[in-house]
Amino acid sequence: MDKSARPYDIVVYGATGFTGRLVAEYLARHYGQEGPRWAMAGRSLAKLAEVRSLIDAPKNTPLIVADADDPASLAAMVNQTRVVVTTVGPYQLYGEPLLAACVAAGTDYADLCGEPVWMRQMIDKHGDEAKRTGARICFSSGFDSIPFDLGVLMLQKEAVVRFGRPAPRVKGRVRGMKGGASGGTAASLKATLAALGRDPSLIPLMQSAFCLTPGFEGPAQPAGDAVQHDDSLGSWEAPFIMAAINTKNVHRTNALLGHLWGTDFVYDEMVLTGPGDQGKAIADHMARTPMIGRPDDPQPGEGPSKEERETGFYDVLFVGEMPDGQVLRYGVKGRYDPGYGSTSRMIAETGIALLSSKATGGIGTPGAILGEALVLRLRAHAEISFAAE
């Protein structure tokens, strides 16, 4: 399906929302009119024009009116572009009409979804058709789960260089992070809990590390749901709220790459809180205090100030353990707060990377569809470092 004649390379759908506006602003500031041909899309033409002015985008930046409740408007939008970048969640409430339209049109798609049950439902329902039409569907193209998905990918590449084989056991450990959860993330969690309440048969999917690898069930994985001490790292560890989505995406990448890291691959994620009594106290406090699901959660459309976004950061350590006891450490570090500042850059660069990708169609992950090509873009443009330690 030849998409080169379409008028736009990228459409940012949801450009009037908090995160969507940041994506549009990033494209305007970093690429202007020299880079990909891009447009802003949303439900209200007046709001789109207001955001275009607020972010100082070129005055001729195209605006497209499209609404998830109007299938004809979505079809018209996706047939005008090679890639759609969507920030409109919770995806289980608003996402399927757009995803289905992209699949039908062979249009590439990237989202910020951290809703694994919905993702599995979309894989089952639309995966074969995406392969047929050539649409590359990239879920989880923000902080969940790009640093983790690509961090494991790059560690394993380094392990093959150093040891001749991938590591059968990898730990993902958050060493530091500053930045709160987004209103969209909070809304997605609430929507997921409501869906599980309506249909308890979905709970085993949510609990399975292999939820996103239909037809494959790997070995038992660490639960990661209790405070523990890691003697090898000399630190206490607390559960990491995003492990529930990241670990599933990492296993899906492995499966889509033909189990490049083995069918016995084991992976988990925790937060490092430091040594001694203080480290344990911090871990215990984190385990008792959820990041999301509190009365003061931000609402969709709300988010941190520019200063808060720019002073945020994250630092994730990956530890690959070899059968003979050798260990490989790999770090992924991002400037800007993870939920907004860095996420908006990640999804924008995912959209741009899709433009030059030669991958076949299907519902995948950034790691499986784009791999190191996306790592190179994130290093060069998004101030994210990937490096062996």
Side-chain angles (χ1 to χ4, degrees):
M1 188 180 293
D2 181 25
K3 298 181 284 186
S4 60
R6 295 182 180 182
Y8 308 122
D9 294 318
I10 296 173
V11 167
V12 180
Y13 179 65
T16 58
F18 194 94
T19 308
R21 188 178 78 197
L22 293 176
V23 176
E25 184 176 36
Y26 175 80
L27 289 171
R29 294 214 171 153
H30 287 74
Y31 296 99
Q33 294 176 305
E34 304 304 314
R37 301 162 299 163
W38 64 282
M40 298 163 57
R43 289 180 296 181
S44 163
L45 188 63
K47 285 185 179 176
L48 286 167
E50 182 185 351
V51 169
R52 179 174 62 185
S53 175
L54 281 171
I55 65 174
D56 273 340
K59 289 185 171 53
N60 61 351
T61 302
L63 307 177
I64 300 171
V65 175
D67 189 336
D69 293 331
D70 180 359
S73 72
L74 294 181
M77 176 181 75
V78 304
N79 278 288
Q80 293 182 75
T81 186
R82 295 169 61 193
V83 178
V84 172
V85 164
T86 172
T87 61
V88 181
Y91 295 92
Q92 60 197 288
L93 300 182
Y94 309 115
E96 186 174 4
L98 175 60
L99 185 146
C102 286
V103 168
T107 300
D108 295 339
Y109 162 108
D111 71 17
L112 299 174
C113 189
E115 305 160 45
V117 172
W118 180 78
M119 291 159 63
R120 171 59 183 270
Q121 291 167 337
M122 295 303 98
I123 291 165
D124 292 344
K125 195 168 175 181
H126 299 288
D128 289 343
E129 181 69 0
K131 289 176 186 173
R132 190 187 70 77
T133 66
R136 282 87 58 95
I137 307 296
C138 267
F139 289 142
S140 308
S141 303
F143 186 63
D144 46 345
S145 298
I146 278 179
F148 305 90
D149 184 23
L150 296 182
V152 174
L153 183 91
M154 295 302 287
L155 176 141
Q156 295 289 33
K157 183 175 184 234
E158 185 70 21
V160 171
V161 170
R162 290 195 192 183
F163 309 129
R165 57 165 290 184
R169 169 76 172 109
V170 176
K171 301 173 183 176
R173 297 295 183 263
V174 178
R175 285 188 288 206
M177 187 166 74
K178 181 185 175 190
S182 71
T185 300
S188 293
L189 178 66
K190 288 171 185 171
T192 295
L193 294 175
L196 297 178
R198 287 192 303 271
D199 185 357
S201 71
L202 299 174
I203 292 173
L205 266 186
M206 186 70 192
Q207 291 174 331
S208 171
F210 299 96
C211 164
L212 301 181
T213 59
F216 174 77
E217 190 76 25
Q221 303 287 311
D225 58 357
V227 170
Q228 63 188 35
H229 189 270
D230 187 322
D231 295 341
S232 67
L233 294 173
S235 177
W236 286 93
E237 302 175 332
F240 180 42
I241 190 168
M242 291 169 57
I245 175 63
N246 294 337
T247 54
K248 295 172 176 59
N249 276 319
V250 167
H251 284 297
R252 180 157 176 78
T253 293
N254 185 34
L256 291 172
L257 294 176
H259 289 108
L260 202 57
W261 314 328
T263 54
D264 58 347
F265 178 62
V266 176
Y267 176 70
D268 72 327
E269 294 177 357
M270 302 284 285
V271 179
L272 297 178
T273 60
D277 292 342
Q278 183 181 11
K280 185 173 190 308
I282 295 170
D284 287 337
H285 174 75
M286 288 185 68
R288 290 193 307 266
T289 312
M291 282 178 63
I292 302 175
R294 299 182 299 191
D296 61 346
D297 280 346
Q299 297 301 304
E302 292 181 354
S305 68
K306 186 170 187 287
E307 182 186 356
E308 288 169 328
R309 295 196 304 271
E310 293 191 349
T311 57
F313 71 92
Y314 52 92
D315 176 358
V316 185
L317 170 70
F318 297 90
V319 182
E321 299 178 345
M322 305 304 292
D324 62 2
Q326 293 191 89
V327 172
L328 173 62
R329 292 164 64 102
Y330 200 96
V332 177
K333 300 175 184 178
R335 192 182 158 201
Y336 308 110
D337 82 296
Y340 295 96
S342 193
T343 279
S344 57
R345 288 162 168 79
M346 282 188 258
I347 193 171
E349 292 298 340
T350 298
I352 294 171
L354 281 165
L355 294 172
S356 55
S357 171
K358 300 292 190 284
T360 55
I363 298 180
T365 60
I369 294 174
L370 298 169
E372 197 170 354
L374 181 54
V375 172
L376 295 174
R377 291 209 66 86
L378 296 174
R379 279 175 171 155
H381 302 285
E383 296 181 73
I384 302 174
S385 67
F386 294 78
E389 297 186 352

